[in-house]
Amino acid sequence: MTHRLVMTENIVAATVSALRQAAEQAMDSGATRLQLDLARVQDLDSVGLSVLIGISMSLQRAGGALELYNVRDEVFDIIHSMRLDKHFQVHRFPTERDATSS
């Protein structure tokens, strides 16, 4: 089962408890695939990265996966520099050029 969450805040130490709780509720409800929409996320710190890794590992143990959508360049750069884009799917934020070419 897939569950989609739209993140409305940056994924940083001050805000990760809400993300962790929402992910746990989704998994408790049977979700094995979690899609996070990060269109509004402009910052991601080490605590946020740790939470994403933990969520991803929990989902993988259940046979599922974590997917990140609408990832802005600044957040993608952090994820990519830590090589975490190898551990969960990352779909970058579509650019204006992408939208006009489709």
Side-chain angles (χ1 to χ4, degrees):
M1 180 167 98
T2 300
H3 187 84
R4 187 170 182 102
L5 292 173
V6 176
M7 302 304 302
T8 58
E9 299 179 312
N10 291 328
I11 304 175
V12 295
T15 63
V16 293
S17 61
L19 170 58
R20 186 181 294 119
Q21 184 177 26
E24 287 173 2
Q25 288 175 345
M27 288 184 274
D28 288 346
S29 297
T32 56
R33 181 169 300 278
L34 185 59
Q35 298 175 337
L36 297 182
D37 185 332
L38 304 186
R40 295 182 183 159
V41 175
Q42 296 179 0
D43 193 20
L44 174 65
D45 69 7
S46 60
V47 176
L49 284 170
S50 295
V51 169
L52 290 177
I53 292 166
I55 292 169
S56 178
M57 291 173 63
S58 294
L59 290 164
Q60 287 174 3
R61 282 192 296 271
L66 175 63
E67 298 177 21
L68 307 179
Y69 284 87
N70 297 321
V71 178
R72 295 177 174 271
D73 289 341
E74 55 267 35
V75 173
F76 177 80
D77 291 344
I78 295 166
I79 292 168
H80 181 69
S81 70
M82 301 298 292
R83 298 181 186 242
L84 294 175
D85 52 333
K86 308 269 189 244
H87 297 281
F88 37 79
Q89 292 181 17
V90 179
H91 305 277
R92 296 181 79 167
F93 195 78
T95 63
E96 185 177 316
R97 183 183 64 203
D98 296 334
T100 59
S101 66
S102 53

